[in-house]
Amino acid sequence: MSRTITSGDLRADRRYAYAQGCLDDGDPDAAAEMAEQALEIAPRFAPAWFLLGRAREGRYAQSGRASDHHAALRAYASALDLDPEDAQGARLALVRIGAGEAASAISPGYVRALFDAYAPRFDRHLVEGLSYRGHTLVADALEASAGPATPLGWVIDLGCGTGLVGAALAGRAQFLTGIDLSPGMLAEAGRRGGYHRLVEGELVAALGAEPPASADCVTAADVMIYVGDFAGVVSGSARVLRPGGRFAFTVQSHPGDGLILGADARYAHGDALVREALAGAGLALERAEPAVVRRENGADVPGQVIVARRR
């Protein structure tokens, strides 16, 4: 079920809906006018400020005028000021048009809201629509590294979503914990079954709450694309692994160095960044293989599936 967006005033809500319709029809000027009318009635309505930012950004794309660019920045900044949790994704929008650091663009509040709304149709859209296979890549890589008959022991599945990794591991875990920001996703994982424990939380903080050296394996399938603090997740995973434990995950790749925020609003990682983060956390690289995690707009998205071992 999608979130209901309301200001608490029906007049403002109607104008917000009209503004959304105008934007969907490709008319940013009309969208901006209707969003401004909604804000005259409900000036603290953060989604209307965000929608106004989108309209002004659309106007800037057509005009190229600096004044339209600045207007979009102001609207997005107002949305973020009124909603610091950032359910709309104002930080991401600001970075996209040139303000802010890429590593902080995708906020936990935005990810939570996005996937809560996405949860009921997640599997169908991702697996059937985008040919997603991150869960099978991770499971296959672990099988190749550990051996097909080797039990995985205590496993922590980061960003477990609807439980696709749990299903792909097919009972190989003695005890399987799933961690995710989204209550909606965790509810779907609970219905799927296979997890002994489900934890709601941001990944770095949730890993920090786990006992050190308590897991034999950590997995993260198609999760790093939403994580700006890549080194934090890697070091947190290393901390909870027992000596010899494995960390298996996928990344979206790019040919350069470091972390970039792509046009698809996902993070991509350079090879050097991945290797440096693993080495810095005391993890030895076992496998790093090119992989297509999913397709986007009819094209393969380049990535890697990686298995590293705790020294």
Side-chain angles (χ1 to χ4, degrees):
M1 183 179 295
S2 61
R3 273 184 319 132
T4 300
I5 296 177
T6 179
S7 67
D9 189 303
L10 183 58
R11 298 170 301 157
D13 291 351
R14 284 174 175 166
R15 286 162 176 78
Y16 174 84
Y18 293 151
Q20 182 67 68
C22 292
L23 198 59
D24 291 344
D25 289 340
D27 190 346
D29 291 326
E33 181 180 348
M34 296 309 300
E36 286 166 348
Q37 290 183 24
L39 288 165
E40 287 176 4
I41 300 167
R44 298 189 61 79
F45 187 19
W49 279 109
F50 183 80
L51 186 55
L52 179 59
R54 290 180 59 207
R56 287 175 168 170
E57 183 183 351
R59 184 186 292 174
Y60 170 63
Q62 294 177 354
S63 71
R65 292 192 298 263
S67 59
D68 290 331
H69 181 249
H70 294 154
L73 290 172
R74 289 194 301 271
Y76 285 137
S78 295
L80 185 58
D81 183 59
L82 291 167
D83 176 24
E85 289 289 309
D86 193 27
Q88 301 293 315
R91 280 194 184 91
L92 178 58
L94 284 164
V95 171
R96 187 178 62 237
I97 60 173
E101 296 294 326
S104 62
I106 301 179
S107 61
Y110 168 68
V111 174
R112 183 184 301 110
L114 174 68
F115 284 101
D116 273 349
Y118 196 17
R121 56 189 176 87
F122 179 81
D123 287 4
R124 183 177 67 255
H125 175 68
L126 201 64
V127 177
E128 298 176 14
L130 300 181
S131 302
Y132 167 74
R133 52 191 299 266
H135 54 306
T136 58
L137 289 169
V138 164
D140 291 347
L142 279 172
E143 184 171 310
S145 289
T150 305
L152 294 177
W154 288 58
V155 180
I156 297 175
D157 181 20
L158 302 179
C160 66
T162 61
L164 291 171
V165 168
L169 294 180
R172 291 179 63 200
Q174 177 185 349
F175 191 94
L176 180 58
T177 294
I179 299 175
D180 204 283
L181 264 175
S182 164
M185 287 293 202
L186 289 172
E188 295 292 329
R191 280 189 279 273
R192 184 188 295 273
Y195 290 82
H196 301 90
R197 173 172 166 252
L198 293 169
V199 177
E200 180 185 338
E202 187 273 330
L203 298 185
V204 174
L207 283 167
E210 296 291 312
S214 59
D216 300 293
C217 181
V218 177
T219 61
D222 215 28
V223 173
M224 299 303 187
I225 57 174
Y226 299 109
V227 176
D229 187 7
F230 177 70
V233 172
V234 172
S235 62
S237 298
R239 173 188 164 275
V240 302
L241 283 172
R242 298 186 179 102
R246 288 180 170 88
F247 182 27
F249 62 98
T250 61
V251 292
Q252 186 166 315
S253 301
H254 72 93
D257 296 325
L259 178 80
I260 65 166
L261 182 68
D264 58 357
R266 295 179 177 95
Y267 290 121
H269 302 76
D271 292 349
L273 170 65
V274 173
R275 292 175 185 273
E276 287 167 9
L278 292 174
L283 295 168
L285 184 64
E286 278 194 342
R287 305 178 69 86
E289 299 176 351
V292 175
V293 177
R294 66 181 184 282
R295 291 178 62 81
E296 199 83 38
N297 298 320
D300 291 344
V301 176
Q304 287 192 90
V305 57
I306 293 163
V307 179
R309 192 165 187 169
R310 185 79 165 93
R311 296 194 181 99

